[in-house]
Amino acid sequence: MSTFDWKKILQIGLIGGIVGVLIALVGMVEEFNERDIIAGTLTMGWTMLILTVLVMAYFVAGTVKAHSWLNVAAGALSGAVFSVVMSLLTWMVDSFDLRQTLVNASPSLVKILTFEQGIPNGLITLIVAGIVVGAVGSAIFILPERIRKAVTLGLGMVAFLGLMQDIIQVSLAGFEGLSDAIAWMFGRGIENGLSVAGAITVFLVVSVSNLLWDTNAPKVNARIEKLPQKSRRSLKWFGYGMLFLVIIYLPAILGLYLTEVVNSTGLFILMGLGLNIVVGFAGLLDLGYVAFYAIGAYTVGVLTNLSGELTSSFGWNFWFALPAAVALAVIAGVMLGIPVLNMRGDYLAIVTLGFGEIIRILALSDFLKPHIGGSQGIVNIPPPKFLEVLVNNPQTLYYFIVAGAVLALFTSQRLRDSRLGRSWKALREDEDVAQAMGINLVATKLMAFATGAAFSGLSGSILAVKLGTIYPHSFALLISINVLALIIVGGMGSIPGVFVGGLLLAGVPELLREFAEYRLLIYGALLVVMMQVRPEGFWPEATHKRELHEADEEARLTAEGQEA
Amino acid sequence: MASILSAKNVTKQFGGLTAVNNLSVEIPEQSISSIIGPNGAGKTTFFNCITGFYTPEMGEIVFNGNRIDGLRSDQVTRLGISRTYQNIRLFSNLTAIENIMVGFEPHLKTNWFDAVVRTPRYHKDEQAAHEEAIKFLRFVGLAGLGDQVARNLPYGAQRRLEIARALASRPGLLLLDEPTAGMNPNETLEMMHFIRNLRDSLGITILLIEHDMRLVMGISEQVTVLDFGEKIAEGLPKEIQTNPRVIEAYLGRGAATEGMATAHEMTSKKKAS
């Protein structure tokens, strides 16, 4: 029985309980209880608690070095500890008036946590529920990996769809043919969340198709591998074609609101691609990245605005202002780069942080107010015209942003696979040795800053015409940090990682606007967990296979054997 | 034989400490030369002065007719000197191939525009770098490990990879800083053959810092002994082994008067300290 580490299980259970108490006391349980994930069955408040227990039990099961009912028992035990802690909380909230200090320790919290059954009965239910959920969490652990993956994915999808129900329903409302299916899946619109039947369907469809895919993917891949070169290539192009079509029709499918979400995510991704070069490839920690975003936006604003409030009115066409904005951002990038050439790590971070703030404060200052509008910002930035089409609504802007992102993607991919990309990575790994390999540090670093600044300037220019108005407050430090965080979550130096990080840290929060109050809390928790569990990011940088194929290798080895 | 590298009166100080003091060394072309000396004698500092990591306060270093003291390390490398490090310093998250390709950097001409547009120059450069990398990967006996991330390679392979990376810049002079540190006697012997083969097949000059006396005495054509930053002896391995000042530096005055220190004893003393 030495594998059954009581102390550790109790400890994790206790930690889980504390997290549960925290979730309850910050008010998430109560507030999210209004929202259903599965109509009438499961509220989002409960989902938060269940998720905590599931994750906790999963870890507990991992501490037991067995693969049997012992794991489940451990999970159940930790679930019991969790619910005892929660019961204690409930009892305390019920017996004493804690609302002076803990605003959310309210009678309605007690009502929720006791399933409206009153103190002794409800608490028993709570503890039983905790044990059951704990057992389920650890049972997931002992499942074979393939099934575990499918089940988790299915559950995750149910939670996601339940959460996104109103947005999905609104965007799909335009499609007449789907209305029955939607009504069946999401109910008739009075309740929110998935219907019970819908939830089960989603779970089954997602899990089973994932399972099927997982079992058959190697076979499919092998079959594709066997195809002749020519049909493999056409298959690839077919894939690209499908992707292209999806990208083209996406705004029509998504509707206005979701397209708007995609657009703001796209701007973050564009910035992320730029910062990924500076931080991910070259390893230069830049915390003032928002400065180039601001410079791009302000350049476009000053050169094109028609308000007449600024002393100088240029009235440029946007398409002339855009390259000017990118060029100015690049110049600013180089100008920031020169003084920090000899700095590394934390020192570099501090200086770039200062640079970002300088730009923002300059934009706010009275000194430059006549030229760039001070705290009132620049209003009346006209939308650009592209081939007689006014780019002024989310759907036209979408194409503009996609074009920018594709350009940035293309450029950074090609730079990565070149001499410059190798130099950047060498610089990131060991600056002194990189220089001793013949790499010109000055040119290499400045190229990184300049390219990064160019993408950010481009993103800022699009922001200016997207909003039509720009204020210094749009360029707060938090943007730099967000972009950095999305790179880290996606995977440092990984280009697909930027997209994943962008969707997770810019897209999803945008969708969860109704939870605005707790957004940063969840965001912070996610970052902490992420750094603990998966520090290399969701989609880590891949290493490229560049040596010859194995067959050649054997030949070479034998040849070498003869030489020796 | 003409000398490829000549250092004259080189002095390097750190605050009050004189790490290299008035050191003059001539390295003959296509030779294998060694610098030995007790810990802290200034050997690696001297390497750092040659490769542009440090700028000496006094003296001059001439390589192939070019004065190189005071140049940046990338400029020195482009003139044809490359090196390895005492504690292996590979680009640990890059693959073995990529590490060697970075070494080929001085011979590449692509700029960012070539890279984005993929001009013929880009393709030519990439292909050359890749071929070179494969070539040196085989040369150092790491064929098949090219796609491994450098930090995952075994220790001996990392040492060889570092040499391959240094060779990729096609140097005229290769500086090896303790190439056998941490190796067992068999591996050391293998490394000795490898270094000799390096010189014979590539026709380059090799200067190494080494503590393993068997290696030093076995392959060096010239040995320079440093102690407290000063040169105390120079010559053929045989002469060095019997030089009283060298024995004194390694074993103390008592041993020197006995004059019986063998290479083996020097080694063991070194390891003990």
Side-chain angles (χ1 to χ4, degrees):
Chain A
M1 281 302 232
S2 62
T3 55
F4 203 79
D5 190 348
W6 291 93
K7 221 169 128 192
K8 194 139 197 184
I9 294 164
L10 293 179
Q11 204 179 3
I12 300 178
L14 217 57
I15 292 173
I18 291 169
V19 172
V21 168
L22 201 75
I23 290 174
L25 287 184
V26 296
M28 285 208 256
V29 170
E30 205 176 328
E31 171 141 357
F32 294 166
N33 208 45
E34 307 301 312
R35 265 296 288 265
D36 284 353
I37 296 285
I38 300 170
T41 314
L42 181 65
T43 69
M44 206 184 132
W46 273 111
T47 310
M48 304 274 315
L49 293 179
I50 291 174
L51 196 70
T52 313
V53 180
L54 285 178
V55 171
M56 178 190 77
Y58 187 86
F59 278 116
V60 166
T63 66
V64 180
K65 285 179 188 58
H67 218 77
S68 61
W69 62 273
L70 266 182
N71 301 70
V72 181
L77 178 61
S78 68
V81 176
F82 174 90
S83 43
V84 166
V85 175
M86 290 305 285
S87 311
L88 267 175
L89 171 81
T90 319
W91 173 74
M92 270 171 65
V93 172
D94 190 51
S95 322
F96 312 102
D97 187 10
L98 303 173
R99 299 192 72 175
Q100 289 286 324
T101 40
L102 302 167
V103 190
N104 294 305
S106 62
S108 62
L109 178 68
V110 175
K111 227 176 182 178
I112 296 166
L113 289 178
T114 54
F115 305 91
E116 302 183 18
Q117 290 176 349
I119 272 295
N121 293 340
L123 292 188
I124 293 164
T125 321
L126 181 67
I127 291 172
V128 172
I131 292 171
V132 171
V133 176
V136 169
S138 46
I140 291 177
F141 179 83
I142 56 173
L143 286 176
E145 194 189 335
R146 227 187 278 149
I147 298 174
R148 187 200 317 160
K149 210 173 127 202
V151 167
T152 347
L153 206 70
L155 290 178
M157 204 62 196
V158 169
F160 180 74
L161 286 180
L163 207 59
M164 296 293 144
Q165 165 261 342
D166 45 353
I167 295 167
I168 297 170
Q169 219 164 4
V170 168
S171 352
L172 293 182
F175 298 90
E176 289 295 322
L178 290 176
S179 63
D180 277 343
I182 290 169
W184 179 75
M185 224 170 100
F186 293 115
R188 295 277 163 195
I190 317 141
E191 321 93 335
N192 47 28
L194 291 161
S195 67
V196 179
I200 294 171
T201 317
V202 167
F203 176 74
L204 285 179
V205 167
V206 172
S207 321
V208 170
S209 57
N210 179 264
L211 203 58
L212 284 178
W213 170 247
D214 255 19
T215 32
N216 291 317
K219 280 184 226 158
V220 175
N221 277 337
R223 197 173 297 171
I224 291 174
E225 288 286 317
K226 267 189 213 140
L227 287 176
Q229 190 76 28
K230 206 173 162 195
S231 38
R232 235 160 75 192
R233 192 171 298 157
S234 44
L235 205 67
K236 201 169 104 186
W237 282 108
F238 176 73
Y240 283 144
M242 291 301 285
L243 190 68
F244 180 74
L245 283 181
V246 168
I247 288 174
I248 291 294
Y249 285 107
L250 201 60
I253 301 166
L254 290 181
L256 270 187
Y257 174 67
L258 280 184
T259 309
E260 179 59 35
V261 171
V262 170
N263 284 353
S264 41
T265 310
L267 288 182
F268 265 101
I269 288 177
L270 190 47
M271 274 199 284
L273 285 169
L275 191 62
N276 187 45
I277 289 180
V278 185
V279 182
F281 291 170
L284 304 162
L285 186 51
D286 184 350
L287 289 182
Y289 194 59
V290 70
F292 309 116
Y293 191 49
I295 288 169
Y298 266 97
T299 310
V300 167
V302 169
L303 290 179
T304 65
N305 90 90
L306 302 167
S307 65
E309 279 168 13
L310 307 180
T311 45
S312 40
S313 176
F314 295 92
W316 282 25
N317 182 318
F318 172 78
W319 300 108
F320 292 112
L322 177 69
V326 173
L328 253 163
V330 167
I331 292 170
V334 172
M335 272 168 53
L336 166 71
I338 291 171
V340 300
L341 278 173
N342 292 323
M343 292 176 190
R344 291 175 196 188
D346 13 16
Y347 302 99
L348 178 65
I350 301 280
V351 175
T352 50
L353 183 76
F355 178 74
E357 282 300 279
I358 288 172
I359 297 293
R360 190 180 64 87
I361 289 168
L362 273 180
L364 257 175
S365 69
D366 284 339
F367 169 65
L368 286 176
K369 192 172 176 179
H371 305 289
I372 60 172
S375 56
Q376 268 110 56
I378 300 175
V379 292
N380 259 332
I381 300 168
K385 242 186 185 168
F386 183 72
L387 302 175
E388 300 304 305
V389 180
L390 213 53
V391 185
N392 63 347
N393 61 11
Q395 280 162 339
T396 41
L397 266 166
Y398 165 85
Y399 294 108
F400 189 13
I401 291 170
V402 166
V406 167
L407 180 75
L409 172 71
F410 180 79
T411 314
S412 55
Q413 217 157 27
R414 292 208 147 177
L415 288 178
R416 179 196 63 193
D417 295 337
S418 75
R419 166 192 175 205
L420 194 57
R422 276 197 304 276
S423 303
W424 281 336
K425 288 189 208 163
L427 187 72
R428 174 187 75 190
E429 300 291 316
D430 191 328
E431 194 172 316
D432 296 323
V433 177
Q435 189 174 23
M437 290 286 104
I439 291 169
N440 184 333
L441 282 192
V442 175
T444 310
K445 282 191 179 180
L446 290 185
M447 267 312 291
F449 279 120
T451 321
F455 294 167
S456 186
L458 176 63
S459 186
S461 318
I462 301 175
L463 179 83
V465 294
K466 177 171 172 268
L467 301 178
T469 326
I470 46 176
Y471 304 105
H473 306 291
S474 320
F475 306 104
L477 171 66
L478 196 63
I479 297 195
S480 298
I481 293 175
N482 271 346
V483 178
L484 187 66
L486 80 84
I487 291 175
I488 294 171
V489 167
M492 281 269 212
S494 149
I495 293 174
V498 173
F499 284 78
V500 175
L503 288 176
L504 281 177
L505 295 193
V508 174
E510 198 74 24
L511 290 177
L512 300 180
R513 275 221 176 267
E514 51 181 315
F515 313 117
E517 248 180 280
Y518 302 104
R519 218 164 59 157
L520 284 177
L521 184 67
I522 297 171
Y523 192 91
L526 178 76
L527 281 186
V528 172
V529 173
M530 177 77 201
M531 287 298 96
Q532 292 281 341
V533 179
R534 210 179 151 86
E536 74 275 23
F538 275 111
W539 193 318
E541 185 189 6
T543 54
H544 291 263
K545 294 262 172 279
R546 304 215 52 172
E547 219 189 337
L548 303 173
H549 297 293
E550 277 173 30
D552 303 318
E553 222 157 75
E554 300 236 327
R556 188 176 349 113
L557 285 174
T558 46
E560 230 174 339
Q562 280 157 7
E563 269 170 48
Chain B
M1 221 188 287
S3 66
I4 188 167
L5 182 88
S6 85
K8 286 198 191 79
N9 310 103
V10 173
T11 299
K12 175 70 201 171
Q13 291 167 320
F14 297 103
L17 178 84
T18 306
V20 174
N21 192 5
N22 205 17
L23 177 64
S24 298
V25 178
E26 299 274 329
I27 307 298
E29 211 167 336
Q30 293 203 19
S31 68
I32 298 179
S33 308
S34 299
I35 297 180
I36 62 170
N39 281 338
K43 306 180 296 288
T44 299
T45 307
F46 181 54
F47 263 28
N48 284 339
C49 289
I50 299 174
T51 47
F53 281 60
Y54 297 150
T55 304
E57 271 82 37
M58 271 182 284
E60 59 172 46
I61 305 174
V62 176
F63 171 72
N64 262 346
N66 299 302
R67 182 134 178 215
I68 57 167
D69 53 296
L71 292 184
R72 293 192 316 263
S73 57
D74 54 316
Q75 295 169 318
V76 174
T77 304
R78 279 166 193 279
L79 286 173
I81 299 181
S82 68
R83 70 173 291 186
T84 66
Y85 301 85
Q86 191 175 345
N87 42 341
I88 302 172
R89 288 174 79 172
L90 288 165
F91 305 122
S92 42
N93 289 310
L94 303 190
T95 61
I97 293 244
E98 284 171 329
N99 266 282
I100 307 178
M101 284 171 88
V102 172
F104 196 59
E105 166 79 17
H107 305 286
L108 298 179
K109 290 189 176 58
T110 24
N111 55 30
W112 67 272
F113 181 80
D114 292 317
V116 173
V117 183
R118 300 241 157 130
T119 58
R121 187 156 69 173
Y122 165 85
H123 288 291
K124 207 182 104 210
D125 264 7
E126 282 302 294
Q127 202 188 343
H130 187 241
E131 275 169 15
E132 197 79 355
I134 297 276
K135 192 180 103 193
F136 280 111
L137 199 68
R138 289 185 209 175
F139 184 77
V140 299
L142 293 179
L145 295 175
D147 292 325
Q148 297 279 328
V149 177
R151 77 180 124 78
N152 292 342
L153 291 174
Y155 182 81
Q158 292 197 5
R159 282 256 172 238
R160 284 151 173 268
L161 178 58
E162 210 186 19
I163 294 176
R165 182 182 68 179
L167 289 175
S169 68
R170 295 187 189 142
L173 172 64
L174 177 65
L175 307 183
L176 302 175
D177 197 341
E178 294 197 27
T180 66
M183 288 186 172
N184 65 31
N186 265 338
E187 291 168 326
T188 304
L189 202 67
E190 211 175 291
M191 181 56 85
M192 188 168 121
H193 291 307
F194 176 70
I195 292 172
R196 196 180 283 140
N197 175 31
L198 211 63
R199 190 267 311 264
D200 294 344
S201 55
L202 299 177
I204 59 177
T205 311
I206 294 173
L207 175 61
L208 53 107
I209 292 176
E210 192 46 75
H211 278 315
D212 191 306
M213 287 304 148
R214 220 168 350 153
L215 178 85
V216 170
M217 298 307 165
I219 62 171
S220 310
E221 281 134 30
Q222 175 186 311
V223 180
T224 306
V225 189
L226 299 191
D227 193 21
F228 295 112
E230 285 180 59
K231 181 163 87 179
I232 58 170
E234 188 171 57
L236 296 170
K238 247 188 294 174
E239 300 163 5
I240 296 301
Q241 271 168 319
T242 52
N243 185 317
R245 283 198 69 188
V246 177
I247 298 163
E248 184 187 321
Y250 270 93
L251 299 178
R253 194 167 290 276
T257 49
E258 281 168 35
M260 285 301 293
T262 63
H264 180 72
E265 276 169 331
M266 287 192 213
T267 319
S268 49
K269 162 84 182 189
K270 206 55 248 163
K271 273 179 186 156
S273 62

